[in-house]
Amino acid sequence: MSFIELDSVYKRYKMGEVTISAADGVTFAIEQGELCMVVGPSGAGKTTILNILGGMDDCDDGKVRVGGELINAYTRKRLTEYRRFEVGFVFQFYNLIPNLTALENVEIATQIGNKPLDARKVLERVGLGDRLNNFPSQLSGGEQQRVSIARALAKNPRLLLCDEPTGALDYNTGRQILKLLQETSHETGMTVVIITHNQAITPMANRVVTMRSGRVQRITESDNPLGVEQIEW
């Protein structure tokens, strides 16, 4: 059994008399410790799948398993525990608390985890050991995204979900963030799922799920993904 399994997953929204299928029979699997990219144009259903995997939304039909457990059958309480303890989230916009330092932003996450990592050590790991006491307004965009990644990692989750994590960053900073995410997957065994519209960065992934109009178009796998430094886009 794979670490993540989506089996014929459907998610529909009604807009007046029109029904939109954001996820239209989505089926794919991800192994433990893989870096997987879900790629496709706007409206492909990528974020819908990420929200379902993260327990922030439910599906109308199908099965979603993470670690062998059917998360779409969870009670509300168990789903809250799943989001709190087992999943880390990284978004395009950093969502840092402006009147807290980098260290304090990360420490908040450690207070809600059941097996948290040391906030200071995680920030050092993402290259911010000398910026612990800086406020978000004193950090560059790339540094703020590193804080948001450290905040997600500090919970020590089994699954890290990233929604366009480089979308608000310049080219060089984006490369640094992708390298950090790839290293996190390879060095810690954490499963990392990245949602992106950028096809050019997919060679760095172990698995690529290409979506269009709510459906999986193709799935490609690589036993030897490229390092970020080998990719140009």
Side-chain angles (χ1 to χ4, degrees):
M1 178 178 291
S2 300
F3 178 62
I4 293 173
E5 295 180 343
L6 284 82
D7 183 8
S8 300
V9 171
Y10 290 84
K11 180 65 181 180
R12 307 177 185 92
Y13 298 97
K14 293 212 66 160
M15 299 184 66
E17 297 182 359
V18 178
T19 300
I20 297 174
S21 294
D24 191 9
V26 172
T27 297
F28 65 85
I30 303 171
E31 302 301 329
Q32 176 74 48
E34 283 190 339
L35 189 153
C36 173
M37 289 193 176
V38 182
V39 65
S42 178
K46 308 184 301 296
T47 298
T48 297
I49 292 302
L50 180 135
N51 289 341
I52 291 172
L53 273 178
M56 295 184 288
D57 204 351
D58 56 2
C59 59
D60 296 318
D61 292 298
K63 297 177 181 179
V64 183
R65 287 188 173 88
V66 178
E69 296 191 5
L70 196 65
I71 68 168
N72 59 312
Y74 279 167
T75 63
R76 185 182 295 258
K77 178 182 178 182
R78 178 67 185 96
L79 198 59
T80 299
E81 292 172 345
Y82 169 75
R83 288 193 301 265
R84 179 175 179 177
F85 299 132
E86 300 178 43
V87 186
F89 298 96
V90 178
F91 299 102
Q92 179 175 345
F93 300 104
Y94 324 120
N95 298 317
L96 301 178
I97 299 173
N99 60 339
L100 297 183
T101 65
L103 180 60
E104 290 166 341
N105 266 281
V106 177
E107 285 177 336
I108 285 180
T110 67
Q111 293 170 13
I112 65 171
N114 57 358
K115 294 182 292 183
L117 304 176
D118 181 86
R120 188 180 300 269
K121 289 182 179 178
V122 176
L123 280 164
E124 289 172 353
R125 181 173 146 208
V126 301
L128 292 177
D130 60 345
R131 307 289 266 164
L132 302 177
N133 297 314
N134 288 91
F135 293 96
S137 62
Q138 299 171 315
L139 301 172
S140 68
E143 289 172 331
Q144 290 184 64
Q145 188 63 297
R146 285 175 181 266
V147 175
S148 74
I149 292 171
R151 179 181 57 194
L153 295 178
K155 289 171 58 178
N156 200 16
R158 294 194 296 165
L159 174 61
L160 185 64
L161 300 177
C162 310
D163 192 359
E164 298 281 3
T166 63
L169 303 175
D170 63 72
Y171 173 80
N172 288 325
T173 305
R175 288 174 69 89
Q176 295 170 6
I177 294 301
L178 289 173
K179 187 173 189 294
L180 175 59
L181 292 172
Q182 188 179 53
E183 289 173 348
T184 296
S185 172
H186 292 173
E187 295 174 5
T188 70
M190 187 181 297
T191 305
V192 178
V193 180
I194 300 175
I195 301 299
T196 183
H197 65 277
N198 189 351
Q199 289 274 0
I201 65 175
T202 58
M204 65 174 279
N206 301 101
R207 187 180 306 262
V208 179
V209 179
T210 303
M211 294 187 64
R212 183 177 293 275
S213 301
R215 297 179 178 178
V216 174
Q217 279 198 320
R218 64 182 175 274
I219 299 171
T220 56
E221 300 177 34
S222 174
D223 293 329
N224 296 293
L226 297 180
V228 174
E229 64 279 357
Q230 298 174 277
I231 300 172
E232 296 291 339
W233 73 88

